[in-house]
């Protein structure tokens, strides 16, 4: 059996393939650098690779998502002099993620920098026929957002996607917005996940940081306590925590989701002519089951153990943390209790933070010094991202990612970020809705 490993994620155009049957073996000599060399290199991507995913039943097949706008499918059984993709889908936007459906081997999901999320059938997507329908897309999901009193829409970037274990639902991590849950068979979202409440159900205190995804790319995952159904979702946050939400059954979320008519939605809304379609309001799950601590800075990735009730988190710092509800388990013992809270982000912009930020722009980047174990380098990295959080942590998706309905008066107009448009006024954010899928 083999495994596909892509290193230097986000900055590398090469896929490294290793045969893991040699792990722990002393029969093969190691190169002078100390690590085992890859068995195969795939170097035909033209820009950074955002994701590598293996086929669910065929070990030799995998796909990549690249910022060059391609989804590439590789088959390691192909005997070619220079290893390269056998099939390529070329798009006009950077591809941010790709995932095979966990039980239906011909289906895969992709997201891109324009905010689009699409479900493909690879039997149509990778055919050479000129008559293939819509590039093999069998479902387009609704990802454009509006709200009451807003005079425009927004379209947040879809930075990553994740299926649950049976493939009935998936989550999208949106930049500058909330994790959003979809039923695979329905184009419109069924839930959004927020940290507006504390785990005990009380509102998050004013001025206290809560879930946010603005500064780095996040990757969440579904899981649970070893059951057949994944009823939890975990995601990292800019507030240095990992959030875990309990997800109700899809049928329940579908029943609770609101479809609001144009008349009701527009009753107090300033809308332009032609925006008279109904709005889809997914269920907001505002109370997380728990919030996991232990990191000193932004948490980027959260992964559930497939069988045990463990969650592993990682982020900007070099530590990877294993979380468990008990001190011991079949694979761990004597785990330390997590801290009660996380480090506070100081409001002042320290000179050290600014210096580290400028060094990252114009000199060597501290996060690339992976060989150094010096705690000062770790502190420089944390300091750098503290500065970025102060500068960009309050970024508004309504001004950063505006979208106009095709054919509307402002379709080709650009508005200043300093506009007084109510879309960027948090006081008006009383209800969020997604545009119906037939408009997107």
């Amino acid at each position: 059996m083999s495994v596909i490993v892509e290193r230097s994620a986000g900055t590398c155009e090469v896929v490294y393939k290793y045969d893991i049957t040699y792990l722990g073996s002393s029969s093969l000599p190691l190169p002078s650098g100390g690590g085992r060399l890859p068995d195969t290199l795939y170097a035909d991507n033209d820009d950074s690779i955002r994701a590598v995913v293996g086929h669910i039943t065929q070990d030799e097949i995998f796909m990549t998502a690249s910022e060059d706008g391609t989804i590439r499918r590789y088959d390691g059984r192909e005997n070619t002099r220079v290893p390269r993709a056998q099939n390529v889908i070329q798009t006009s936007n950077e591809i941010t993620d790709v995932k095979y459906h966990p039980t239906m081997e011909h289906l895969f999901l992709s997201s891109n920098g324009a905010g689009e999320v699409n479900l493909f059938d690879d039997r149509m997507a990778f055919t050479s026929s000129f008559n293939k329908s819509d590039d093999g897309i069998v479902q387009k999901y609704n990802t454009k957002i509006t709200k009451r009193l807003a005079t425009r829409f927004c379209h947040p970037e879809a930075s990553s996607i994740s299926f649950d274990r049976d493939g009935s639902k998936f989550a999208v991590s949106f930049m500058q917005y909330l994790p959003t849950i979809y039923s695979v068979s329905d184009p419109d979202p069924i839930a959004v996940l927020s940290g507006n409440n504390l785990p005990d159900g009380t509102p998050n205190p004013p001025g206290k940081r809560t879930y946010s995804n603005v500064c780095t790319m996040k990757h969440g995952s579904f899981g649970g306590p070893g059951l057949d159904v994944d009823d939890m979702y975990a995601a990292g946050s800019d507030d240095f925590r990992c959030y875990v939400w309990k997800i109700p059954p899809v049928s329940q979320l579908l029943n609770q989701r609101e479809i609001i008519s144009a008349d009701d939605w527009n009753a107090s809304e300033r809308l332009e002519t032609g925006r008279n379609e109904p709005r889809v309001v997914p269920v907001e799950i505002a109370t997380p089951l728990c919030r996991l601590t232990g990191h000193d800075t932004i948490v980027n990735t959260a992964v559930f153990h497939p069988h045990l009730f463990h969650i592993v988190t990682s982020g900007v710092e070099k530590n990877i943390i294993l979380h468990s509800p008990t001190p011991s388990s079949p694979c761990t013992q004597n785990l330390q209790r997590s801290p009660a809270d996380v480090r506070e982000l100081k409001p002042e912009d320290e000179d050290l933070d600014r210096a580290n930020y400028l060094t990252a722009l114009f000199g060597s980047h501290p996060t690339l010094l992976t060989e150094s174990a010096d705690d000062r380098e770790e502190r420089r990295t944390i300091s750098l991202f503290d500065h970025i959080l102060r500068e960009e942590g309050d970024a508004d998706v309504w001004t950063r990612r505006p979208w106009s309905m095709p054919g509307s008066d402002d379709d080709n107009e650009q508005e200043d970020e300093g506009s007084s448009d109510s879309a960027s006024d948090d006081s008006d954010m009383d209800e969020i809705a997604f545009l119906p899928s037939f408009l997107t």
Side-chain angles (χ1 to χ4, degrees):
M1 180 177 289
S2 60
V3 63
I4 307 304
V5 178
E6 193 273 312
R7 292 183 174 175
S8 303
T11 61
C12 182
E13 302 87 24
V14 180
V15 176
Y16 300 85
K17 180 180 177 181
Y18 296 86
D19 187 340
I20 63 173
T21 59
Y22 292 104
L23 289 177
S25 173
S26 59
S27 59
L28 290 179
L30 295 177
S32 57
R36 186 170 182 273
L37 295 176
D39 297 275
T40 309
L41 296 179
Y42 298 88
D44 51 336
N45 283 275
D46 296 325
D47 208 334
S48 300
I49 298 170
R50 294 282 291 269
V52 180
V53 58
H55 194 276
I56 62 172
T57 61
Q58 302 183 60
D59 293 336
E60 295 295 339
I61 295 179
F62 67 96
M63 290 191 298
T64 60
S66 174
E67 292 184 0
D68 65 8
T70 63
I71 300 172
R72 299 174 188 264
R73 185 172 67 173
Y74 299 81
D75 190 336
R77 296 167 295 191
E78 292 286 336
N79 186 18
T80 56
R81 185 176 62 87
V82 179
R84 59 187 305 108
Q86 278 67 49
N87 308 100
V88 180
I89 299 174
Q90 180 68 61
T91 73
S92 58
N93 295 292
E94 65 179 32
I95 304 298
T96 58
D97 204 356
V98 64
K99 291 288 191 300
Y100 272 109
H101 190 281
T103 62
M104 304 177 70
E105 63 178 344
H106 294 298
L107 298 182
F108 66 91
L109 194 67
S110 78
S111 60
N112 65 31
E116 299 168 339
V117 178
N118 298 311
L119 184 69
F120 291 82
D121 187 320
D122 65 5
R123 294 167 295 186
M124 294 186 289
F126 293 123
T127 181
S128 59
S129 171
F130 290 104
N131 297 319
K132 61 182 179 180
S133 175
D134 213 0
D135 295 324
I137 297 174
V138 295
Q139 183 71 275
K140 296 182 178 181
Y141 295 95
N142 169 14
T143 57
K144 298 180 179 70
I145 307 172
T146 185
K147 63 179 176 180
R148 292 189 189 277
L149 302 180
T151 59
R152 62 186 178 193
F153 308 107
C154 74
H155 199 186
E157 176 184 339
S159 60
S160 69
I161 48 183
S162 177
F163 279 109
D164 69 347
R165 74 172 63 203
D166 65 7
S168 62
K169 60 183 177 291
F170 66 90
V172 181
S173 294
F174 287 110
M175 293 291 291
Q176 302 163 7
Y177 192 59
L178 303 173
T180 303
I181 308 296
Y182 292 79
S183 168
V184 171
S185 59
D186 191 303
D188 297 317
I190 57 177
V192 294
L193 313 177
S194 77
N196 289 339
N197 295 335
L198 300 177
D200 63 5
T202 60
N204 193 61
K208 287 291 186 179
R209 301 170 66 215
T210 184
Y211 178 85
S212 175
N213 179 18
V214 174
C215 295
T216 60
M217 293 177 289
K218 308 293 192 299
H219 294 80
S221 70
F222 286 95
L227 302 178
D228 293 335
V229 177
D230 289 341
D231 63 353
M232 298 180 188
Y233 182 78
S237 170
D238 289 347
D239 72 344
F240 310 162
R241 298 179 177 93
C242 170
Y243 285 72
V244 182
W245 292 271
K246 181 83 168 179
I247 310 299
V250 169
S251 59
Q252 178 180 330
L253 293 173
L254 284 169
N255 289 333
Q256 293 178 347
R257 182 182 64 183
E258 293 185 80
I259 307 296
I260 300 180
S261 69
D263 290 340
D264 291 341
W265 183 264
N266 296 345
S268 60
E269 187 180 13
R270 299 192 303 273
L271 287 177
E272 297 181 2
T273 303
R275 297 181 181 178
N276 295 317
E277 292 76 14
R279 301 294 189 259
V280 179
V281 182
V283 177
E284 181 184 1
I285 302 175
T287 303
L289 176 69
C290 61
R291 304 187 302 179
L292 307 179
T293 61
H295 287 277
D296 288 327
T297 185
I298 300 171
V299 182
N300 292 335
T301 301
V303 179
F304 277 90
H305 191 283
H307 308 296
L308 303 176
F309 200 14
H310 293 325
I311 297 175
V312 175
T313 57
S314 66
V316 168
E317 63 206 286
K318 61 188 178 184
N319 293 329
I320 299 174
I321 298 179
L322 173 68
H323 305 267
S324 171
T326 59
S328 300
S329 75
C331 63
T332 62
Q333 58 182 351
N334 300 326
L335 295 178
Q336 298 179 358
R337 182 176 292 275
S338 300
D341 211 339
V342 295
R343 179 177 66 87
E344 291 288 337
L345 179 67
K346 296 180 180 179
E348 70 273 9
D349 194 353
E350 298 177 343
D351 292 340
L352 176 61
D353 293 349
R354 184 175 296 277
N356 285 328
Y357 178 74
L358 295 175
T359 299
L361 288 178
F362 304 113
S364 61
H365 196 300
T367 60
L368 298 182
L369 301 177
T370 56
E371 295 296 324
S372 174
D374 193 332
D375 289 340
R376 287 177 297 181
E377 292 298 339
E378 180 89 333
R379 176 56 200 158
R380 286 182 61 192
T381 300
I382 294 174
S383 175
L384 163 66
F385 281 91
D386 281 359
H387 178 84
I388 295 174
L389 278 171
R390 294 190 194 96
E391 294 292 317
E392 302 182 9
D394 296 326
D396 180 14
V397 68
W398 300 93
T399 56
R400 291 287 188 92
R401 301 279 299 191
W403 179 83
S404 299
M405 189 178 297
S408 64
D409 293 340
D410 60 348
D411 190 10
N412 297 313
E413 293 181 6
Q414 296 293 327
E415 299 188 51
D416 295 333
E417 288 193 11
S419 170
S420 60
D421 192 321
S422 63
S424 61
D425 185 352
D426 289 340
S427 64
D428 294 329
M429 195 170 177
D430 60 337
E431 190 165 30
I432 298 292
F434 285 69
L435 292 179
S437 56
F438 58 81
L439 294 179
T440 63

